[in-house]
């Protein structure tokens, strides 16, 4: 690690030998020469350069009349404390544990649905009331990241992960011991909120530690955990529900046992990955060891007050969703796809039980098509990654969208296959193939949204992903509430055909971004800022 010290040549060097030893391995810059991409442009643009007070700047040294600007601590290019320089084994430990948490959150979303029969019997509730629990989980998933995603960018990823883990565990207990359906619904909403960290923040974590050209495989594992977990939950939950000695409570208890593995592994595998937070800790250590309060991380100047931090945390995702065309368009697209996915989670039981006389265990096995579709998505992502590496130099982040354009066509095709093969005279494998095709397209769309937004918004990735997560999970909240009524009135054939037609209308979205993405991003405040920083 190089000992590099950058100091304003106009100022005399006043550092002691002890200070120089303490500063080994970090770069020191004057504040006016520093451009920190994690600052919110709504707050920092046009702000005056902060200057430390005489007492802090001099700390008893020099003349009292002097005021010195802060000296900003930054990583050197090869500093191992920088998350992008973590050793690959460490990166993979963080990635795999984070994706395991994503799978738990997705597993929980789907498995709950399989226990409706025993739950409604034990709690004297209606199926519609139980379905609200599915929607409230998605609602919590969408609302909580409005605060936690930006908070993770300001206070660090690790504390959010730890708090979320224990919150999810407690909600399993609350659901399993619930005396009535109302308790279940409250617990499901809170569990979705705690579990949302394991979707939104994981994308930010991967963006923290992997360079853009390395993110393909980690992001595909993340997408597999999110979509494959949604299928894995019902697959297991169906066979738990069919056992009369187990039922819905044991769906929750078994999930809790799996989830409990995560907090046990956190101290051994998970580390803070937000670079600005690590730099803040480095700066605090330097101030403590040198006694000179001039040294600080750039992000510390953004924390003018708790009020400002809360403002940034609560408004940035919504602001991005409403003002960034890239996020708005992709959020609508993935929101619709996710809403249909949640409809499918509920409709598969209806279609295969009524059309093919499947029991709850056999119906749960049909959800293995989601695993098949996800595996196909991971396989085709290797081709997408080759295209990305080949064309990134000429197309930029839009090189992430080759297979998204293919998925835009495949998405309605899968819906049409599912719609027009759901008849008793047609073998059950035909609609199952349609489901697998739909899941493959959804996998590609989901992965493209995360990788593309992570590339485009860099340090704002979690906020960008929280914005699309809100849109995605609001759709997942609403769609299951009208699934049964829609199928009763329109039939399986025409209801799914309607979904397919809406998907056709949304088909141009990735094509527009593929061809016009750079010019669209250049006109936007946040993405334009990231583009400028990459050039500098």
């Amino acid at each position: 690690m190089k000992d590099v010290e950058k100091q304003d040549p106009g100022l005399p060097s006043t550092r002691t030998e002890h200070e120089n030893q303490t500063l080994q391995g970090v770069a020191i810059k004057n504040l006016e020469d520093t451009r920190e991409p994690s600052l919110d442009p709504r707050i920092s643009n046009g702000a005056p350069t902060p200057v430390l007070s005489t007492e802090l700047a001099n700390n008893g040294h020099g003349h009292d009349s002097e005021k010195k600007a802060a000296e900003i601590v930054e990583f050197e290019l090869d500093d191992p404390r920088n998350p992008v320089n973590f050793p690959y084994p460490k990166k993979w430990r963080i990635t795999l544990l984070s994706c395991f948490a994503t799978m738990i959150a997705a597993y929980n979303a789907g498995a709950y649905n399989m226990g409706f029969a025993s739950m409604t019997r034990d709690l004297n509730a209606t199926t519609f009331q139980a379905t609200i629990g599915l929607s409230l989980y998605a609602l919590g998933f969408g609302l909580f990241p409005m605060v936690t995603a930006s908070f993770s960018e300001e206070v660090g990823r690790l504390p959010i992960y730890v708090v979320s883990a224990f919150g999810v565990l407690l909600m399993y207990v609350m659901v399993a011991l619930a005396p009535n359906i109302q308790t279940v619904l409250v617990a499901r909403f809170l569990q979705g909120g705690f579990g949302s960290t394991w979707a939104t923040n994981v994308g930010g974590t991967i963006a923290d530690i992997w360079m853009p050209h390395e993110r393909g495989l980690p992001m595909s594992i993340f997408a597999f955990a999110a979509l494959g977990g949604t299928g894995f939950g019902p697959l297991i939950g169906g066979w738990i529900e069919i056992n009369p000695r187990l039922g819905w409570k044991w769906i929750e208890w078994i999930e809790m046992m799996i989830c409990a593995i995560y907090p046990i592994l956190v101290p051994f595998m998970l580390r803070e990955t937000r670079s600005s937070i690590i730099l803040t800790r480095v700066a605090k250590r330097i101030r403590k060891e040198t006694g000179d309060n001039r040294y600080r991380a750039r992000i510390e100047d953004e924390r003018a007050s708790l009020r400002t931090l809360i403002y940034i945390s609560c408004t940035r995702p919504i602001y991005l969703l409403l003002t960034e065309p890239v996020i708005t368009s992709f959020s609508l697209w993935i929101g619709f796809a996710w809403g249909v996915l949640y409809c499918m989670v509920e409709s598969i039981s209806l279609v295969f039980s009524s059309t093919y006389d499947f029991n709850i265990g056999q119906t749960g096995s049909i959800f293995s098509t989601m695993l098949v579709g996800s595996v196909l998505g991971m396989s085709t992502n290797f081709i997408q990654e080759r295209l990305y590496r080949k064309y990134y130099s000429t197309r930029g982040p839009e090189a992430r969208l080759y297979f998204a354009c293919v998925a835009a066509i495949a998405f309605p095709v899968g819906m049409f296959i599912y719609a027009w093969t759901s008849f008793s005279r047609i073998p059950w494998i035909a609609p199952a193939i349609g489901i697998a095709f739909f899941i493959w397209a959804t996998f590609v769309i989901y992965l493209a949204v995360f990788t593309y937004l992570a590339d485009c918004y860099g340090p704002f990735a979690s906020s960008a992903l929280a914005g699309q997560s809100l849109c995605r999970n609001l759709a997942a909240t609403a769609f299951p509430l009208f699934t049964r009524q829609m199928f009763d009135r329109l039939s399986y054939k025409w209801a799914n055909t309607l979904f397919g037609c809406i998907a056709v209308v949304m088909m141009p979205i990735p094509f527009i971004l593929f061809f016009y993405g750079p010019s669209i991003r250049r006109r936007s405040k946040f993405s334009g800022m990231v583009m400028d920083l990459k050039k500098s």
Side-chain angles (χ1 to χ4, degrees), residues 7-9 29-36 49 72 74:
Q7 186 177 9
D8 190 334
K29 296 183 179 180
N30 285 331
L31 185 60
E32 58 268 22
D33 297 328
T34 305
R35 304 181 71 191
E36 171 56 57
T49 300
I72 301 304
E74 289 191 341

Side-chain angles (χ1 to χ4, degrees), residues 61 194 301 340 347 362 433 436 482:
H61 303 290
F194 287 119
D301 292 313
V340 175
S347 73
Q362 292 170 324
I433 290 172
F482 60 76

